[in-house]
Amino acid sequence: MNKKIKYTGLELKEKLVGVTRVCKVTKGRRYFSFSAIVIKGNENGIVGYGFGKSKEAPDAIHKAGEQAKRNICKVCISNGTIPHEQESKYGGARVLIRPASDGTGIIAGGPLRAVLEAVGLRNVLSKSKGSSNHHNVIKATMKALSSMRDASIIAKQRGITIQKVYDGC
């Protein structure tokens, strides 16, 4: 599993997935606040996500962006797609991500699409199953992407050459 990396002045693009107004009802009155979900990525294999809450929407978005910088991780990309099929689950949300051939584009919807675009993938097939909760779908997607391994990582872990990985020896 890939470790989180520190934010080191990378040029990250921010994508707002959603802002929700939430309400706390007490005996005296209702208290309104906002919750925001933000994805940050450099479209070259680095992506992070953040959740922010505040009484004002811009403050919630800013907090989510700052948290996204702290949750950055590196993703393996090979020829604009992922190295292998991956399925992941977080809470009730299940995510299936598959590599695709050139010209396919990103076949995904909602928060799953936002994460895949921020990573920089150009050709990928995906399916979101189970819960459609944005928080859990994003976390399941990040879990799937962070557990991707390409041939060089596998060779390094096994202590063999990349050619032996492809030969199956």
Side-chain angles (χ1 to χ4, degrees):
M1 190 146 166
N2 295 338
K3 293 184 178 180
K4 292 179 184 173
I5 59 174
K6 287 201 171 190
Y7 173 71
T8 56
L10 297 169
E11 191 65 37
L12 299 175
K13 294 182 181 177
E14 185 173 300
K15 183 152 190 167
L16 179 64
V17 176
V19 177
T20 308
R21 188 177 83 161
V22 292
C23 180
K24 177 186 175 188
V25 179
T26 64
K27 184 178 175 183
R29 68 185 194 114
R30 295 183 188 138
Y31 294 93
F32 294 103
S33 62
F34 293 89
S35 172
I37 306 171
V38 170
I39 305 291
K40 280 197 174 192
N42 71 345
E43 297 180 352
N44 195 19
I46 295 190
V47 69
Y49 67 95
F51 304 116
K53 295 178 186 174
S54 181
K55 293 192 180 199
E56 300 293 328
D59 294 339
I61 294 167
H62 179 72
K63 284 181 181 181
E66 291 299 314
Q67 188 182 7
K69 287 181 191 175
R70 292 191 296 262
N71 286 332
I72 286 178
C73 69
K74 185 155 177 48
V75 178
C76 296
I77 297 177
S78 58
N79 299 327
T81 188
I82 54 178
H84 57 85
E85 183 178 318
Q86 188 71 37
E87 191 167 356
S88 180
K89 180 181 176 188
Y90 189 91
R94 289 195 177 111
V95 171
L96 172 67
I97 306 171
R98 301 173 99 179
S101 60
D102 280 340
T104 304
I106 298 176
I107 309 297
L112 182 59
R113 182 180 196 90
V115 175
L116 297 177
E117 286 175 350
V119 170
L121 295 169
R122 293 187 306 271
N123 302 300
V124 69
L125 300 167
S126 65
K127 179 71 178 167
S128 178
K129 306 178 213 172
S131 173
S132 61
N133 181 336
H134 288 4
H135 293 262
N136 289 345
V137 170
I138 289 172
K139 288 178 182 178
T141 305
M142 292 296 292
K143 185 177 171 184
L145 291 174
S146 66
S147 61
M148 293 277 177
R149 302 184 307 165
D150 63 354
S152 61
I153 294 172
I154 293 170
K156 192 175 187 180
Q157 287 174 344
R158 294 182 186 174
I160 58 175
T161 63
I162 293 176
Q163 189 60 38
K164 284 190 176 183
V165 172
Y166 287 120
D167 292 341
C169 297

